[in-house]
Amino acid sequence: MTVNPALLALPIVLPIGGAVLAPLLSHLSSRVPLIVSLLALGGASAVLLLFAPDVYGGQVLGHALGNVGPINGRQLGITLTAEPFGLTYALLTAVIGTLLLLYSLSELGGLGAHEAGWYACLAQLLLAAMIGTALSADLLNLFVWFEVAALASYGLTGFFLERPWALEATFKMMVLTNLAGFFVFVGTALLYARHGALNLGQLQHTLTGSTADLVALALLLAGFGTKAGLMPFHGWLADAHSAAPGPVSALFSGLMVNLGVVAIARLALDVYAVHRAALPAILLVLGPLSAIAGAALALGQDDLKRLLAYDTVSQMGVLLTAVGAGSMTAVTGFVYHLIDHALFKTLLFLCAGAIVHATGMTRLSQMGGLARHRPLATAAFLLGTASIAGVPPLNGYASLGLIHDALRSDHPAAFGAVLVAQVITVAALGRAAYLAFFRRRDDDYDPLERRRPGALIAFGALAAGCVLFGVVPRFVVDHLAAPAAAVLLDPNGYAAAALAGQARPHPAPPPFNYFAPDELLIAIGCIAAGLLLCAWYVRRSAEPRVITFLRRVHTGSVNDYAAYSIVGLITCAAVLLALA
């Protein structure tokens, strides 16, 4: 029996309700707000799981809030949709968000009641915004959730107000994401002024490829590209990740940045389907640029959390490259890698946060020998690193294999760029693992805290996810990634659901041979080359000039980063107009 689509609002309402209750109940105990958060996110996860059998079974459901349905093909109200792509991101957000709140209950249990209440409030608002983004079929509501996520992220980044660098990171984030929000708002207004529509399905039917439509697309790409941390819109990301508390960094990198790339994929493949000739020119440049430059910046970092943050820029570039390729295999790999990134990057940031929390150190040059003192964090970090590196049978191997298959013949330049980025990523994370965990350190650490149960559960669940999604790739492809890709590549079907109806896409899962010799050779080659680069870089006394140049471009000035965003926007608009 099909679940009533009217329940689609509940996974958004529950965490918002929890956000309201958390500070109000904080006077009872510092743990009550986080327990309320766990109940709210657990309830949201349960409701989303109710839709899973129908949605992954082939249905795309739409619900107009207030039962304000379309009139003469025009949707006047707000529409929510349940389809495999959005549901996948919503489930990732709810489940991993629950784990992060459980981790917070353990690691941040020393917070005062007032601080715990507001921490839980902000975290739930951010998670509600991401779930809302996943389920929204309305451009204005994408903007609303963008702004809700932004406001919550400002509070979480500057949560420890006594730290000057946290305030500086919050200021940069506010300037750049407010600029991005302005881009999204103006792009939305342009489309509404021209077409009188905000519903994504209605827009898909009415877009004509006019100059206004293309300028709006450039504005939307720049706005959501900022949230995704894509170059050249990424200036806020490294500072925010390094300044925020450990669980918040994991939340930002594992889930929040995905909000931007989810919105871009929806717009590029479902809404602006008529412009598929021009869009790849943008996506297949921004994607490889972010992948290589982000990995190179990660290789040159001494701060562990900044290193992981720049690796997130690189991974977002890989995802955008797959969206730009636009084939069934590429988009299936994109969805698969989106799931994988949420798992392994959340795990890595929790490891980094645990290390910083226990030692008070953030710089790799100060660390060493942690494998003896922190065996659990060591094992989890190595597992996450191996997942990103594409070591079989972990999850990154399968998703990267699909992306490689899609790019190899049709987009050889992008394929080469992704491989180069992969090699540098292996080197960067391998260097971090060596310096932090295995390098000899003569000075001993102060007595380290015993790991609490909530942290153990979070570490174990994320590590198990990295393994599980790697050993059952055929199941993931057939039942999760391929149905999601089918909706993204069926704009008419999605439009029918977005106009408060139903659709039934018929996915044809791409061919995928887990033991294909060429993909095994690519994986082994990238890992071997990455380890050799890591060994060379660790022994090298002087920094390579290309990394020095990239670091100098990142001046730390918010004015420079805003200028990069404006130049990126103008370039995107010029290319789209030239190729239209």
Side-chain angles (χ1 to χ4, degrees), residues 360-456:
M361 299 176 182
T362 61
R363 295 190 173 276
L364 294 169
S365 56
Q366 299 172 334
M367 300 178 190
L370 280 169
R372 182 163 58 91
H373 297 279
R374 274 287 184 261
L376 174 64
T378 303
F381 193 91
L382 291 177
L383 180 68
T385 298
S387 296
I388 294 181
V391 175
L394 300 177
N395 54 358
Y397 170 76
S399 57
L400 287 171
L402 284 165
I403 294 172
H404 293 162
D405 285 347
L407 297 176
R408 188 161 42 221
S409 58
D410 296 335
H411 305 282
F415 174 62
V418 168
L419 291 187
V420 170
Q422 186 69 12
V423 169
I424 302 173
T425 295
V426 173
L429 292 174
R431 172 177 167 270
Y434 167 72
L435 294 177
F437 299 101
F438 299 107
R439 183 182 56 170
R440 181 176 177 178
R441 186 177 188 270
D442 295 329
D443 297 334
D444 205 357
Y445 293 99
D446 293 333
L448 300 179
E449 295 181 9
R450 180 173 171 269
R451 183 63 56 217
R452 293 185 172 92
L456 294 175

Side-chain angles (χ1 to χ4, degrees), residues 307-380:
L307 184 152
L308 294 176
Y310 280 120
D311 180 69
T312 295
V313 174
S314 181
Q315 295 300 312
M316 291 299 104
V318 173
L319 289 169
L320 193 70
T321 303
V323 174
S327 66
M328 183 64 183
T329 301
V331 179
T332 301
F334 157 70
V335 177
Y336 201 155
H337 202 63
L338 188 77
I339 299 170
D340 292 346
H341 178 265
L343 293 168
F344 56 57
K345 189 52 64 70
T346 303
L347 178 62
L348 286 172
F349 262 106
L350 285 187
C351 291
I355 292 168
V356 173
H357 181 75
T359 67
M361 299 176 182
T362 61
R363 295 190 173 276
L364 294 169
S365 56
Q366 299 172 334
M367 300 178 190
L370 280 169
R372 182 163 58 91
H373 297 279
R374 274 287 184 261
L376 174 64
T378 303

